[in-house]
């Protein structure tokens, strides 16, 4: 049984269709990535799952039950880290975590342990008495996370927790999510940063315009597309006919040449690096840095939608 089951979900804001017959199943033990550009419907999906938003059509079950706004039993098993930081300015770091943990954990001794553990987990030990206003953006995000996870929920939902966060906090957040997952939590993680999703998610759903366009592990998603490796060759001066000749080499799926940078996308599973370099060397064409990259989730997104998923 899926932990979260979403079937034919439709959500409209007035006449605007934000979720268009969305189907998703999130299984126990996954780090499930909901990857899509801004406005694709990620937060709307999360808020429907949590029953914070009314939806127009479809079914959602969480832990096998339909969620209601007051389903306390299910909510106690969920940890939510909203996109917008939601903490109390007039409470200290410790008091904030204690407040949110206290919604579910009434035993004081147990709660103290959990709060201490969550604060340590996000690395805010030195800021326990600080007010949120004193924290940097990254630390504030970490506090937001501590508030969401202190009660040790089975399902943790994080909505874009790394937006506008410094690299150190970002890294701590990403490795923290993996640790929570290793310790048994199922994770739903939304992002428009494909590298992050690629780094940590065991399963990815690509969404756009409120629809699920593709779903699978990153390997499965990459295997669905025609694009293979991307070869980049910098500082190479090419004539028009040479570009055309390279374009005609076997396994060239797509070629661009802009500002002396040659980019060749190969057909899936094929490799062209040696062939292209031989072509240049045979003609004594000098070139600068050369590198080859495996296909990314951006290639998947680009091929499915025709547009880039930009960071
Ligand atoms: P994401 O989280 O992927 O950036 P959202 O779920 O926030 O996307 O939004 C999906 C779409 O619904 C966007 O086009 C957004 O402008 C629209 N939307 C979100 N909330 C509202 C609202 N309260 N009223 C009207 N439109 C909304
Ligand atoms: Mg959002």
């Amino acid at each position: 049984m899926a932990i979260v089951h979403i079937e034919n979900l439709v959500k409209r804001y007035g006449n605007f269709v934000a979720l268009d017959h969305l189907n998703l199943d999130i299984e126990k033990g996954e780090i499930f990535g909901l990857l899509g550009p801004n406005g694709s419907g990620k937060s709307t999906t999360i808020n429907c799952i949590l029953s914070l938003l009314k939806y127009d059509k479809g079914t959602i079950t969480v832990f096998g039950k339909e969620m209601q706004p007051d389903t306390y039993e299910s909510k106690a098993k969920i940890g939510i880290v909203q996109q917008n930081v939601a903490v109390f300015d007039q409470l200290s770091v410790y008091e904030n975590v204690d407040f949110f943990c206290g919604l579910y954990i009434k035993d004081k001794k147990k709660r103290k342990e959990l709060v201490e553990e969550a604060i340590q987990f996000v690395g805010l030990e030195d800021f326990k008495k600080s007010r949120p206003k004193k924290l940097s953006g990254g630390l504030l995000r970490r506090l937001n996370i501590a508030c969401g996870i202190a009660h040790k929920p089975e399902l943790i939902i994080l909505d874009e927790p790394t937006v506008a966060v410094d690299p150190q906090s970002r890294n701590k957040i990403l490795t923290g999510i993996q640790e929570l997952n290793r310790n048994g939590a199922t994770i739903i993680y939304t992002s428009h940063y494909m590298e992050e999703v690629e780094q940590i998610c065991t399963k990815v759903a690509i969404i756009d315009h409120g629809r699920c366009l593709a779903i699978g592990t990153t390997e499965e998603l990459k295997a669905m597309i025609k694009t293979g490796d991307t070869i980049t060759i910098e500082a190479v001066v090419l004539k028009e006919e040479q570009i055309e000749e390279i374009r005609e080499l076997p396994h060239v799926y797509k070629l661009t040449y802009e500002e002396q940078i040659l980019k060749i996308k190969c057909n899936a599973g094929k490799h062209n690096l040696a062939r292209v370099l031989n072509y240049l060397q045979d003609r004594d064409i000098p070139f600068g840095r050369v590198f080859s990259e495996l296909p990314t989730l951006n290639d998947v997104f680009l091929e499915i939608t025709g547009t880039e998923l930009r960071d």
Side-chain angles (χ1 to χ4, degrees):
M1 183 195 70
I3 288 203
V4 178
H5 172 73
I6 300 177
E7 200 175 313
N8 274 324
L9 182 63
V10 176
K11 167 67 192 173
R12 292 189 200 97
Y13 295 109
N15 286 331
F16 177 76
V17 180
L19 298 179
D20 184 5
H21 297 87
L22 184 74
N23 292 292
L24 289 176
D25 274 300
I26 291 122
E27 308 289 341
K28 189 171 165 61
E30 286 179 337
I31 302 183
F32 190 97
L34 213 49
L35 175 68
N38 285 330
S40 55
K42 302 181 296 293
S43 298
T44 303
T45 306
I46 299 304
N47 288 328
C48 288
I49 293 174
L50 294 168
S51 199
L52 297 172
L53 263 181
K54 281 212 170 97
Y55 44 93
D56 297 277
K57 210 177 127 185
T59 324
I60 302 178
T61 59
V62 184
F63 299 114
K65 293 197 192 107
E66 211 166 310
M67 274 286 276
Q68 301 293 337
D70 55 355
T71 319
Y72 181 81
E73 193 198 331
S74 292
K75 287 219 163 164
K77 292 197 278 183
I78 303 174
I80 169 74
V81 179
Q82 290 281 10
Q83 182 170 357
N84 300 317
V85 174
V87 295
F88 296 105
D89 286 339
Q90 61 276 35
L91 299 183
S92 68
V93 162
Y94 185 96
E95 289 162 345
N96 263 295
V97 182
D98 187 59
F99 172 83
F100 288 100
C101 188
L103 297 175
Y104 306 109
I105 309 291
K106 298 300 169 196
D107 181 276
K108 278 200 180 131
K109 184 159 164 285
K110 173 85 184 147
R111 188 160 82 229
K112 187 165 186 310
E113 278 170 29
L114 290 172
V115 172
E116 294 284 357
E117 195 183 327
I119 288 175
Q120 196 148 15
F121 184 77
V122 298
L124 284 177
E125 310 85 308
D126 296 341
F127 298 90
K128 275 191 228 175
K129 294 208 170 98
S130 307
R131 295 283 174 91
K133 274 205 175 72
K134 299 266 186 234
L135 302 179
S136 69
L139 296 185
L140 194 58
R141 286 264 161 189
R142 279 147 69 171
L143 170 61
N144 200 38
I145 292 172
C147 292
I149 62 158
H151 62 292
K152 295 221 179 225
E154 289 172 43
L155 170 64
I156 301 172
I157 302 177
L158 301 109
D159 194 1
E160 307 225 33
T162 59
V163 169
V165 157
D166 60 279
Q168 195 199 346
S169 280
R170 168 177 291 209
N171 220 11
K172 185 142 184 80
I173 291 170
L174 293 178
T175 54
I177 291 171
Q178 289 177 303
E179 192 177 335
L180 292 166
N181 178 251
R182 272 198 302 278
N183 293 338
T186 301
I187 313 277
I188 302 177
Y189 175 75
T190 87
S191 182
H192 64 277
Y193 298 128
M194 56 187 175
E195 288 90 354
E196 292 186 356
V197 168
E198 217 169 328
Q199 190 183 331
I200 67 165
C201 293
T202 59
K203 189 105 169 255
V204 181
I206 296 183
I207 70 164
D208 199 18
H209 301 295
R211 299 173 67 174
C212 178
L213 301 180
I215 188 164
T217 62
T218 51
E219 288 75 21
E220 286 165 350
L221 290 171
K222 289 175 191 177
M224 286 175 194
I225 59 167
K226 296 198 205 77
T227 318
D229 296 359
T230 300
I231 299 167
T232 304
I233 302 176
E234 293 182 349
V236 57
V237 180
L238 293 170
K239 299 195 187 93
E240 197 58 47
E241 65 263 25
Q242 291 169 331
I243 295 167
E244 286 317 309
E245 274 174 11
I246 296 172
R247 203 189 295 279
E248 293 308 317
L249 291 176
H251 314 312
V252 173
Y253 173 63
K254 216 172 170 186
L255 178 151
T256 58
Y257 179 66
E258 280 166 15
E259 295 176 359
Q260 301 190 358
I261 296 174
L262 177 67
K263 262 188 198 285
I264 298 170
K265 287 187 189 283
C266 305
N267 289 327
K270 304 292 182 188
H271 304 281
N272 259 353
L273 187 57
R275 214 184 308 263
V276 174
L277 294 184
N278 280 341
Y279 176 94
L280 299 176
Q281 275 158 350
D282 286 350
R283 285 155 191 80
D284 289 324
I285 302 171
F287 52 86
R289 216 156 63 105
V290 176
F291 49 96
S292 175
E293 296 158 289
L294 296 169
T296 64
L297 287 179
N298 193 43
D299 294 318
V300 179
F301 192 82
L302 179 63
E303 206 170 303
I304 297 174
T305 66
T307 55
E308 301 253 354
L309 176 64
R310 289 198 192 277
D311 274 5

